[in-house]
Amino acid sequence: MSQNGLKLLPVKKVNPKTLLLLALLVVLGTLPFAKVGSFDFVAYMDRVTIEDYEAKRFRYINDHVQEGLTQENAGWAFSTLQFSPEPLLGDRYRQISWHPLTWLSLLADSTFWKMDPGGFHLTNLGLHLMSTVLCYLVAMRLTRSRFVAFCTAALFCVHPLQGNVVGWVSARPALLGGFFFFLSILMYLRFGDIQRGQPGRKLYFFLSVLACLCAVLSKTSNLILPLLFALTDWRFHRKGFDRDKVFKIGELLKRQLADKWAYLAMSVAIVVIASPFRFMRRQPMSEDFNYGNFFTGIFSHFGSYLEHIVYPVNLLPFYFPFPGAKLGYIHFAIGLLSFLVISGAVWSMRRTKPQLIFGWIWFLVCLLPVAGIAHVRFSFTLDYELYPALFGLFFCVASV
């Protein structure tokens, strides 16, 4: 008890084995990306103009980013539209997102690094390493197994797809949003472990809500976080999810909403605020749109993502479907067959290895915003959209 009567949280000693594993993960993640500090801006993805063609030097074309973090530019970050990086296709095919916190991080980079592109990439690397550490802590709290936690975090850290995230400044929304994404999950798990009335419960709830807000302001697709909070409740059989799998829907919803009202209210507020930005320049639906192609496209995206995860070669900035391209029926077949086979396998092992169905549902939930459901006209398969989803799939692999 402190002198002013407030209860202080007990300070726990960190296990030396945990520190050793975390240090090993940091080293493991630094090795493949050690040279990013010498990289220039990527001409294709980072919205730059050529400054010196012979020397292959590029200059970031955003005037606000070049000026750095000022009061005026901070206000601009919350009011601007950000196009997704498809510059060679023209403005017609660009889509709009609202992520002010990402812009603030780029403005801060400009102020600190003086527009040195290597500094921007080092910030990306730092965010990736911190997300890796959080991955380990989240997996450790979910399983209490250092082996599963380390394997999950290691696969997440060094998978070849992460090169598309760390190596592009334009992928900052995925990195910054991913860091706060995992931080919010970790704080929520800690909040759920503390009984009502115990010290620290309200603090962890507040930190989880705050991290969730930062995740959404970094990347709006992180609005799916409350669904993952409910998934962790199911994993630990709490808040309406009874251990015997028998529960009343009304009681379940009541107990879930009791702890998630703040997340839901925040999500609604973000949607209301961001919708005018996101749909201000939205293209009308294509005349040749039909629901058969729409649902086929969902599994085509799914199959394309799985292919890049399992066989990460010949990676590109974005893939199917290019505007005007025919529907990828091969990817549709791969996606549908993989979905049915994997879902059947994890369901058959739901009693012996419940962590498999947890990781698989995590993966599917994280794919909801990027599987072609939200964008019904021009929707691209982008590897860096898999950033938080990879945790669920690698969690399954490590738990087998």
Side-chain angles (χ1 to χ4, degrees):
M1 183 79 68
S2 62
Q3 295 180 355
N4 57 5
L6 296 176
K7 294 182 178 180
L8 300 177
L9 295 178
V11 179
K12 296 182 179 181
K13 294 183 179 180
V14 181
N15 192 304
K17 293 182 179 179
T18 299
L19 289 177
L20 179 61
L21 290 175
L22 292 178
L24 184 58
L25 285 172
V26 171
V27 173
L28 188 65
T30 303
L31 291 177
F33 305 114
K35 294 183 178 181
V36 295
S38 62
F39 290 175
D40 204 336
F41 293 116
V42 180
Y44 184 77
M45 296 292 287
D46 291 337
R47 297 187 61 77
V48 300
T49 185
I50 296 176
E51 184 177 31
D52 187 338
Y53 181 79
E54 294 182 356
K56 296 182 179 180
R57 290 204 304 265
F58 305 96
R59 179 176 62 87
Y60 207 93
I61 62 177
N62 189 290
D63 293 334
H64 294 277
V65 174
Q66 292 186 44
E67 293 174 1
L69 187 60
T70 63
Q71 184 176 356
E72 179 182 354
N73 287 336
W76 167 84
F78 281 87
S79 60
T80 188
L81 303 175
Q82 166 60 35
F83 292 101
S84 60
E86 292 96 34
L88 294 188
L89 299 178
D91 289 338
R92 182 186 179 190
Y93 303 112
R94 291 181 187 153
Q95 299 180 17
I96 298 170
S97 297
W98 185 65
H99 41 235
L101 203 59
T102 297
W103 278 119
L104 289 178
S105 73
L106 293 174
L107 292 170
D109 270 357
S110 175
T111 299
F112 184 79
W113 298 107
K114 307 300 182 184
M115 290 307 299
D116 177 14
F120 284 73
H121 291 299
L122 288 176
T123 300
N124 277 11
L125 176 58
L127 288 170
H128 179 58
L129 294 178
M130 289 190 292
S131 294
T132 299
V133 170
L134 291 175
C135 280
Y136 174 89
L137 298 177
V138 169
M140 184 66 185
R141 189 160 290 276
L142 287 171
T143 63
R144 311 296 181 183
S145 168
R146 288 193 181 92
F147 175 80
V148 173
F150 181 81
C151 290
T152 301
L155 288 171
F156 175 86
C157 184
V158 300
H159 193 276
L161 286 182
Q162 304 297 27
N164 287 354
V165 185
V166 180
W168 289 338
V169 176
S170 293
R172 180 66 61 84
L175 284 165
L176 188 63
F179 167 74
F180 288 115
F181 180 98
F182 291 115
L183 181 61
S184 182
I185 292 286
L186 181 63
M187 293 298 100
Y188 183 81
L189 290 172
R190 189 69 185 94
F191 157 73
D193 289 343
I194 302 177
Q195 298 296 326
R196 293 185 182 275
Q198 294 297 317
R201 180 178 170 85
K202 292 183 178 179
L203 173 62
Y204 284 111
F205 176 75
F206 170 76
L207 292 176
S208 178
V209 173
L210 180 61
C212 183
L213 175 62
C214 292
V216 174
L217 292 179
S218 301
K219 200 173 191 306
T220 50
S221 61
N222 288 329
L223 284 168
I224 50 97
L225 268 169
L227 297 178
L228 295 179
F229 296 150
L231 181 63
T232 61
D233 292 336
W234 170 81
R235 173 71 178 86
F236 291 107
H237 309 290
R238 61 192 183 196
K239 300 178 184 176
F241 291 101
D242 298 331
R243 187 174 295 275
D244 58 4
K245 305 295 190 301
V246 178
F247 51 83
K248 297 180 179 180
I249 298 298
E251 181 66 18
L252 173 64
L253 292 176
K254 180 180 178 180
R255 296 184 64 181
Q256 284 293 306
L257 291 174
D259 286 329
K260 296 179 178 61
W261 60 268
Y263 305 102
L264 296 175
M266 179 196 65
S267 299
V268 172
I270 294 295
V271 169
V272 171
I273 295 172
S275 291
F277 292 98
R278 186 166 184 80
F279 300 110
M280 186 179 297
R281 300 182 187 177
R282 185 177 182 180
Q283 298 290 334
M285 187 178 295
S286 177
E287 295 179 357
D288 59 354
F289 171 83
N290 64 74
Y291 286 100
N293 286 342
F294 173 63
F295 289 109
T296 305
I298 293 175
F299 284 105
S300 297
H301 279 77
F302 183 76
S304 180
Y305 281 129
L306 280 182
E307 178 189 1
H308 302 156
I309 295 172
V310 177
Y311 189 63
V313 298
N314 299 323
L315 300 178
L316 299 172
F318 62 87
Y319 312 84
F320 163 84
F322 291 92
K326 294 182 179 180
L327 195 60
Y329 290 106
I330 295 179
H331 283 131
F332 165 72
I334 294 174
L336 180 59
L337 183 61
S338 301
F339 174 79
L340 294 176
V341 171
I342 298 175
S343 297
V346 298
W347 179 257
S348 65
M349 294 184 285
R350 65 187 183 281
R351 298 188 184 280
T352 56
K353 290 185 177 294
Q355 61 270 29
L356 294 182
I357 196 170
F358 172 86
W360 182 239
I361 294 176
W362 176 300
F363 179 71
L364 296 178
V365 169
C366 289
L367 285 186
L368 287 177
V370 298
I373 297 176
H375 308 296
V376 296
R377 186 175 185 187
F378 303 121
S379 187
F380 302 93
T381 302
L382 302 166
D383 288 336
Y384 59 74
E385 298 285 5
L386 287 172
Y387 196 69
L390 288 174
F391 173 87
L393 203 58
F394 294 151
F395 184 79
C396 290
V397 174
S399 300
V400 173

